Structures are given as C-alpha cells and as structure tokens.
Amino acid sequence: MKHGSRRFRTLIAAIGLVAVAAMAPGLSPAASADRPGGGEEARPYDVLVFSKTAGFRHGSIPDGIAAIKKLGAENGFTVTATEDAAVFNDTDLAAYEAVLWLSTTGDVLDAGQQAAFERYIQGGGGYVGVHAASDTEYDWPWYGGLVGAYFAGHPAQQTATVKVHAHNTAATAELPKRWTRWDEWYSFRDQPADSIRVLADLDERSYDPGRFAMGDPHPIAWCHEYDGGRAFYTGMGHTNESFTEPEFLSHVLGGIQMVAGVAPFRCEAG
C-alpha cells in the first residue's frame, strides 16, 4: 500500500477534521470539503480507474483516464488505471480509497474477483460508476444494487437539460440548477431504489428520448450507502468532449471525493 491502510487513513482524516473544528469554531470543514476544487486541501489518497470492456467499447475511455489523472494531480490523489481484472483481490484493492468503473461493459470480473470487490465495499470502500458502468455485470445482482440501476438504452446523442436537485454535495455544488449539455442520454431498466438519493434528473421535454422515455422522473445521477461502503453513479460521460467540460469534471471529481471519504457523503434518500 502506498500510504498505509485505507481504514487507518480514514481514521486519521476524521481526527484531523475534529481537531480543526475544535480549534476554529467559525470554520466549516464540511463546507470546505464540499468544494469540488477543494481536493488540494485534503489528505493524499488513491483511486483505481478500471475500464475493462467485454461489450461495446467507448472511444472516450482514454480521454477519461487522462482527465481523471489530471484531476488527481490537481486535487491531491494518485490515479492508477488498469484493465487487468486480476487487481480485484483483497491485497491490491486495500490500497485504494475509491474504485472508479469508467464505461466498463459486459461481464468483466470472474467469481473470485467479484467476491473480493464485495469484501472491499463491505469494508468501507468507495465506488464511482461513470456512464456505461451501468451496462456491466447484468448477472451479478450485488453489483446491480451497487451501481443503482442497469442500462436499458439510449436515443441518438443530442442536447438535453439536466435538472440538478441537490447542491449540498461535492458532486453537484458547482452545477447549475438547469444544466444543458450534449451527451448520450441513458435510460434505465428500473428506477433507483427508494434508499438511493437521486441528485439529478433529465428533463425529457428538452430532448427526444424516443422509445427510451422513462417519464418523470428520469434519473441520471445518484449516490447511496451500500453494503458498508459508498457509491456514486453518473449516466453522463459518453463523449470525448465530456472530459474537457469543467462542470462535468467537477461532477466526477466530487463523486470521487465523496466516496473516498474526503468530502461529506450527503446521500440519504428523502
């Protein structure tokens, strides 16, 4: 492990926040941590970016990896990118505060690797799913619960408006209330469970969903506690251009910070 065990680092960070609050009652560590660009003030941590595909492969994956590495360099975390599923074992996973599944598709882990990832999350690990992470592991119900909803389909790429409901999380703090952008807009097989906090919906009146309409609501980003760990998912991020958009990058960065435990995880439903 690069900086010691994940649990030890989480404990040290928590002690540090308490100490700061005690010495400076007027300072709000939570408010500071909520800023998507505030990672430079956080303790160092480690993120694994996993982008193995066993189905459709998104051309934006290399741009996504490069952008996340840049976010890490600018915000105090190291990034290891891999498509080697062998890293999904207890020893290797323990080195990371968060594992980001970047447009993975299909069946990417074997049974032993799945079990190791379940133990990682049960031990307090963090999961970020981007775009096609929901088009992954359909025969692994535990993963379906972690990602929150499985991909159903999408219309042609087009401009649509995202309705951002929550601005008190690191993943949404820098987003406008109505966020208009171009992407490939996913629909899902089911609505996320009631225990999941939906952070943003699509306004289906702002684009043509065709046969993939979900009605109102049409969730597109959410977060929740799951089986001992923390999970964040965004359905956005199909295009190469997504990974040059400051607002989208702040969205992804905030999700990483939240699940890694360096920003408040305000993901209670209701």
Side-chain angles (χ1 to χ4, degrees), residues 1-7 9 43-48 78 80 87 89-99 120:
M1 297 180 204
K2 304 180 190 69
H3 306 294
S5 73
R6 175 163 37 89
R7 290 187 182 85
R9 281 178 279 168
R43 60 187 173 81
Y45 59 101
D46 301 280
V47 175
L48 178 67
T78 63
T80 301
V87 74
N89 63 76
D90 294 336
T91 300
D92 288 336
L93 289 175
Y96 301 100
E97 278 74 14
V99 180
Y120 167 78

Side-chain angles (χ1 to χ4, degrees), residues 34 166-170 172-173 197 264 266:
D34 261 354
H167 285 90
N168 68 337
T169 73
T172 54
R197 185 183 187 191
R266 298 191 175 109

Side-chain angles (χ1 to χ4, degrees), residues 5-89:
S5 73
R6 175 163 37 89
R7 290 187 182 85
F8 178 75
R9 281 178 279 168
T10 300
L11 176 62
I12 293 301
I15 292 171
L17 287 175
V18 171
V20 169
M23 290 186 291
L27 180 62
S28 171
S32 176
D34 261 354
R35 291 187 297 104
E40 69 275 10
E41 299 172 0
R43 60 187 173 81
Y45 59 101
D46 301 280
V47 175
L48 178 67
V49 175
F50 181 57
S51 56
K52 180 178 178 180
T53 54
F56 181 83
R57 184 166 183 84
H58 283 76
S60 60
I61 287 174
D63 286 330
I65 292 171
I68 295 164
K69 286 184 174 181
K70 186 172 185 289
L71 288 176
E74 294 172 346
N75 293 277
F77 61 92
T78 63
V79 175
T80 301
T82 188
E83 299 200 356
D84 184 0
V87 74
F88 283 78
N89 63 76

Side-chain angles (χ1 to χ4, degrees), residues 179-220:
W179 182 22
T180 300
R181 58 186 302 276
W182 175 282
D183 211 323
E184 180 178 79
W185 300 107
Y186 273 14
S187 295
F188 303 94
R189 292 184 177 185
D190 300 292
Q191 292 284 339
D194 291 343
S195 59
I196 293 175
R197 185 183 187 191
V198 174
L199 302 175
D201 290 326
L202 284 176
D203 183 350
E204 289 192 348
R205 299 170 299 177
S206 68
Y207 77 111
D208 180 10
R211 64 189 180 91
F212 299 108
M214 292 184 70
D216 187 13
H218 183 143
I220 198 64

Side-chain angles (χ1 to χ4, degrees), residues 229-255:
R230 297 174 297 274
F232 165 83
Y233 172 78
T234 181
M236 296 175 274
H238 172 85
T239 66
N240 292 17
E241 292 77 12
S242 294
F243 295 99
T244 64
E245 295 176 29
E247 288 169 333
F248 179 72
L249 291 174
S250 79
H251 181 53
V252 173
L253 173 61

